Amino acid sequence: MGLLIYICSLALLVSLVPLGVAKDQLSSRECEDLGFSGLALCSDCKTLAEYVKDQDLVSDCSKCCTEDSDDSISKITYSGAVLEVCMRKLVFYPEIVGFIEEEKDQFPSVKVQYIFNSPPKLIMLDEAGQHKENIRIDNWKREHILQFLREKVNPTSAD
């Protein structure tokens, strides 16, 4: 039973971008409102379907995941990002503070936005500046933030 709860929780927490099975794709904001956040593969939704018989939940998951393929996640890049965080909570995230104060200038297309009560997250943007992915970074170390942004944010997208 504990494994079932873990698998269901994992699938729910990591899901975000739409599945080819479901034609209707939801925006990252809609997926986050449904409780799906992060970068999940559609195989996670298939695993969820094995353990949860709620078709509406599985359908929502399918609308908020990304297709599985060889190395599909590593090929995704973005034009920019917004690092969203609550200024009052920054004291609890020294790694994020260090990144903002010392490393952020390396990424001109990454903006910092202070939103009350927001957990630390990266909002990844497409060429039009629209939100494509929301990625929680609560427990990330500074070097992980740097590596992720170097790999995922196009360097030519600087303002």
Side-chain angles (χ1 to χ4, degrees):
M1 186 64 170
L3 178 62
L4 173 64
I5 292 170
Y6 174 74
I7 291 173
C8 291
S9 298
L10 180 63
L12 286 173
L13 290 175
V14 239
S15 298
L16 184 67
V17 184
L19 166 70
V21 173
K23 302 269 188 225
D24 300 323
Q25 298 181 352
L26 298 178
S27 70
S28 60
R29 180 73 66 198
E30 290 170 316
C31 289
E32 190 172 288
D33 290 344
L34 289 171
F36 298 101
S37 62
L39 292 172
L41 298 174
C42 293
S43 60
D44 294 334
C45 296
K46 293 173 187 169
T47 302
L48 177 66
E50 292 176 19
Y51 294 97
V52 176
K53 299 306 174 198
D54 182 343
Q55 290 303 312
D56 290 335
L57 180 63
V58 173
S59 174
D60 288 343
C61 180
S62 298
K63 294 174 186 176
C64 295
C65 68
T66 189
E67 264 313 316
D68 300 57
S69 69
D70 293 336
D71 224 20
S72 65
I73 296 297
S74 67
K75 294 177 184 173
I76 298 172
T77 59
Y78 303 93
S79 292
V82 176
L83 193 160
E84 186 177 285
V85 65
C86 176
M87 190 175 282
R88 292 181 178 190
K89 292 182 179 180
L90 269 177
V91 67
F92 301 111
Y93 303 105
E95 297 285 340
I96 294 172
V97 170
F99 170 79
I100 292 170
E101 292 177 350
E102 300 172 24
E103 313 284 353
K104 190 251 167 243
D105 290 340
Q106 296 177 37
F107 304 95
S109 61
V110 175
K111 308 296 180 215
V112 178
Q113 187 173 10
Y114 297 102
I115 303 291
F116 179 73
N117 216 22
S118 176
K121 62 184 166 187
L122 286 170
I123 301 169
M124 308 310 292
L125 308 173
D126 65 9
E127 302 79 29
Q130 298 298 310
H131 294 193
K132 295 308 287 179
E133 307 285 349
N134 290 327
I135 304 163
R136 294 278 299 261
I137 59 169
D138 309 58
N139 299 315
W140 287 24
K141 299 216 175 286
R142 185 189 319 192
E143 57 266 19
H144 298 142
I145 298 169
L146 286 166
Q147 178 182 359
F148 181 83
L149 292 175
R150 284 183 188 125
E151 292 175 4
K152 297 297 182 180
V153 177
N154 298 328
T156 57
S157 64
D159 294 16

